[in-house]
Amino acid sequence: MSGPLSLVGAAGADGAMGAVVRLPRRRTPSWAQSDPVVELAERLAGPCASAVHPDEIAALLESEGLTDEQVTGRYGHRDLFSLAESLFALVPRAYPEPEPAADPWRTDAGRCVLRGLTFALPGVAYVVGGRWADGPDGPFGVTAAVAGWAAAALCSWSWNQGLSHRAGLLLLAQRPRAAARCLLVGAAAGTVPATAAALAVTGVAHPAPPLFALGQALYMAAATVLLVLGRERSLLYVLAPLTVAAGCGATGLPSPVVAAILTATAGAAIAAAVHTAGGAARAAGAGWFGVRPRGSRTRAGRPEPREGGEAGEGGPHVPVGRSVPLALGGLGAGALVVTAALAGEFVATLTVSMGVAEWLLFRFRSRALVALRRTGVGERLFTRSWRVLARCLGAYAAALVALAGVESAALPGAAPWDAPHLGVLLALGCTLWLALLLQSCDRPWPAAAVLSAATTTAVALLAAHIGAPGAVIGLTGAGAAAVLLTTAAAVTARVTAHR
């Protein structure tokens, strides 16, 4: 009776159709003339198949220049709308699928590994600078110098977490000059409370420990600028001479030589940060701090507008309060890590694993988007998202166990690779990863609250000498991980968390 005719919609320049439409056609003798309506339907198969109402086809025919005489004479219909209804009934519906959106969470695994190295290599400075750790006793059973360095590191950690988050928001708001100013001014200001905290613990009787704390604060500030602006390689180049010197036996060099090496490392990091931030500001079309040189002009000869008066820098206002929970969460996470370090746990493994944690975080967000697209109307996202969460968290736990074995075998004085120490490591690692996941889902306050509560509980128990340090840290970390896991499972099961 009739045979199928394969019609491929326009897959070329207009991109209107990419599906195959099979249009039934009436067979006619060779001596008979073909139906002009069928010919028109074949020629306009793509737009007709994707139309949702005959009026769309009528508008298309009118735009093609079809006259009333052609409609009545050639096609045998009383008017344009009658012909459109015939075409709408003749061509089956075949709506084109939308193009798959680009994955915003796609990342390079090599870059994440590189960032993990930049997190771990600064620990070499404590190896070569350990000669200044001796001195009077301080709190928590360590010397005052070590306690001062820990206090300075916590201040820098918390400050720089909030600073990097605010700068990232400014970059997302298409305000690169404001982000560069925020990083430069904020990083410099953050060294003041860090150095003051170290001085409050170490005092000024021995100048070496507070000077080391000052260099530590300066380096962490410069590293924050470079990492936020995506200059991991520059930071790795800065750390390379120090790493090579430590591998060649820098610990046996005189103190003035070691101090010069550490000073040069901090100075190189500061120079790289200032150069990178200045380059970002100049690339946005501004001078330092966003102020253009007097009398500067555009290509058309008109004076350049001031800050905020051109596209890209007049973006939305970014409240400072949005970065407060990130700073609080950084303080809580840093306190847990420092406490674990003082207790002799696998801290180097935690530091190195941050690159793996970052990659798995991007991996989870990417796979969660795929699960969201595959979820039907009547199917809950939770049935898919929790599987992705379990796989990523399990992969990170396996990476922690493997890295801990390397640390225990390679580093002298490292914690033994046994069940108690691995338990503490897994509790802390899973806590940190789940907190990062909640922060990436725009839920920073629950992460900050849980981290702060865990830190407060652990410090209070240790100060009261209740239980062994490892057991206290492990139990508080496990409790925090359980709460964060429950929260993360509930949050990631919501569609709005993956916007």
Side-chain angles (χ1 to χ4, degrees), residues 214-499:
L214 173 61
Q216 171 187 269
L218 291 172
Y219 170 81
M220 294 180 72
T224 299
V225 176
L226 293 173
L227 290 175
V228 170
L229 296 179
R231 296 296 187 269
E232 296 86 1
R233 293 186 181 275
S234 298
L235 190 57
L236 189 64
Y237 296 151
V238 168
L239 294 171
L242 175 63
T243 306
V244 172
C248 295
T251 54
L253 295 176
S255 294
V257 177
V258 174
I261 295 174
L262 294 175
T263 303
T265 301
I270 294 171
V274 172
H275 176 74
T276 301
R282 289 190 295 271
W288 280 106
F289 301 101
V291 178
R292 299 181 181 277
R294 185 182 299 274
S296 61
R297 294 181 177 273
T298 61
R299 294 179 180 178
R302 293 184 296 270
E304 286 277 11
R306 291 287 183 178
E307 174 81 7
E310 62 186 38
E313 285 300 309
H317 173 67
V318 180
V320 179
R322 291 186 60 181
S323 302
V324 171
L326 277 296
L328 294 177
L331 180 61
L336 282 176
V337 174
V338 169
T339 304
L342 297 179
E345 300 296 335
F346 285 112
V347 175
T349 295
L350 270 180
T351 306
V352 175
S353 70
M354 285 297 103
V356 181
E358 186 175 286
W359 184 82
L360 286 172
L361 179 63
F362 278 90
R363 179 69 174 173
F364 171 81
R365 297 305 304 270
S366 176
R367 300 308 300 172
L369 278 181
V370 175
L372 178 61
R373 296 189 184 112
R374 294 178 178 176
T375 300
V377 176
E379 184 182 3
R380 294 185 61 189
L381 179 60
F382 179 78
T383 58
R384 293 180 180 269
S385 63
W386 75 265
R387 296 190 185 97
V388 181
L389 178 60
R391 286 196 296 266
C392 291
L393 189 60
Y396 182 56
L400 286 174
V401 173
L403 290 174
V406 175
E407 178 185 351
S408 180
L411 294 182
W417 198 66
D418 53 17
H421 291 88
L422 288 178
V424 175
L425 174 65
L426 292 175
L428 290 180
C430 293
T431 298
L432 296 180
W433 191 83
L434 291 169
L436 290 175
L437 176 59
L438 288 176
Q439 290 173 359
S440 73
C441 293
D442 200 18
R443 302 295 191 278
W445 279 113
V450 173
L451 290 173
S452 300
T455 300
T456 303
T457 303
V459 171
L461 292 176
L462 291 176
H465 301 286
I466 300 176
V472 169
I473 298 170
L475 289 176
T476 54
V483 175
L484 290 174
L485 179 60
T486 304
T487 307
V491 167
T492 55
R494 299 176 181 174
V495 176
T496 55
H498 306 282
R499 292 177 297 181

Side-chain angles (χ1 to χ4, degrees), residues 29-354:
S30 58
W31 49 266
Q33 294 181 351
S34 60
D35 189 349
V37 176
V38 174
E39 290 182 349
L40 183 62
E42 293 174 359
R43 184 166 64 89
L44 302 177
C48 292
S50 60
V52 297
H53 193 273
D55 289 350
E56 292 186 36
I57 303 178
L60 174 65
L61 295 175
E62 187 176 10
S63 67
E64 291 285 333
L66 204 64
T67 63
D68 293 338
E69 291 78 9
Q70 290 175 321
V71 171
T72 57
R74 175 174 175 77
Y75 297 106
H77 285 265
R78 66 179 184 274
D79 55 24
L80 191 70
F81 294 98
S82 174
L83 177 59
E85 291 176 357
S86 177
L87 293 175
F88 186 81
L90 186 60
V91 180
R93 306 274 70 75
Y95 302 111
E97 291 291 332
E99 292 292 331
D103 187 359
W105 295 100
R106 184 183 181 91
T107 188
D108 184 12
R111 182 180 180 184
C112 293
V113 173
L114 185 62
R115 289 174 68 88
L117 288 176
T118 60
F119 297 151
L121 288 180
V124 178
Y126 297 100
V127 177
V128 299
R131 64 188 69 196
W132 297 304
D134 297 332
D137 294 335
F140 299 104
V142 296
T143 62
V146 174
W149 297 348
L154 287 178
C155 289
S156 294
W157 200 338
S158 175
W159 183 281
N160 292 329
Q161 285 287 320
L163 176 66
S164 60
H165 180 260
R166 176 165 176 76
L169 292 179
L170 291 172
L171 290 174
L172 289 176
Q174 301 298 319
R175 299 175 59 188
R177 287 180 287 169
R181 290 199 310 272
C182 173
L183 286 172
L184 287 176
V185 178
T191 61
V192 177
T195 307
L199 280 173
V201 178
T202 62
V204 295
H206 302 280
L211 287 176
F212 186 91
L214 173 61
Q216 171 187 269
L218 291 172
Y219 170 81
M220 294 180 72
T224 299
V225 176
L226 293 173
L227 290 175
V228 170
L229 296 179
R231 296 296 187 269
E232 296 86 1
R233 293 186 181 275
S234 298
L235 190 57
L236 189 64
Y237 296 151
V238 168
L239 294 171
L242 175 63
T243 306
V244 172
C248 295
T251 54
L253 295 176
S255 294
V257 177
V258 174
I261 295 174
L262 294 175
T263 303
T265 301
I270 294 171
V274 172
H275 176 74
T276 301
R282 289 190 295 271
W288 280 106
F289 301 101
V291 178
R292 299 181 181 277
R294 185 182 299 274
S296 61
R297 294 181 177 273
T298 61
R299 294 179 180 178
R302 293 184 296 270
E304 286 277 11
R306 291 287 183 178
E307 174 81 7
E310 62 186 38
E313 285 300 309
H317 173 67
V318 180
V320 179
R322 291 186 60 181
S323 302
V324 171
L326 277 296
L328 294 177
L331 180 61
L336 282 176
V337 174
V338 169
T339 304
L342 297 179
E345 300 296 335
F346 285 112
V347 175
T349 295
L350 270 180
T351 306
V352 175
S353 70
M354 285 297 103

Side-chain angles (χ1 to χ4, degrees), residues 3-29:
L5 175 64
S6 298
L7 296 176
V8 180
D14 58 358
M17 272 292 295
V20 175
V21 180
R22 297 192 178 275
L23 181 64
R25 186 178 63 179
R26 186 178 300 171
R27 290 190 178 183
T28 58

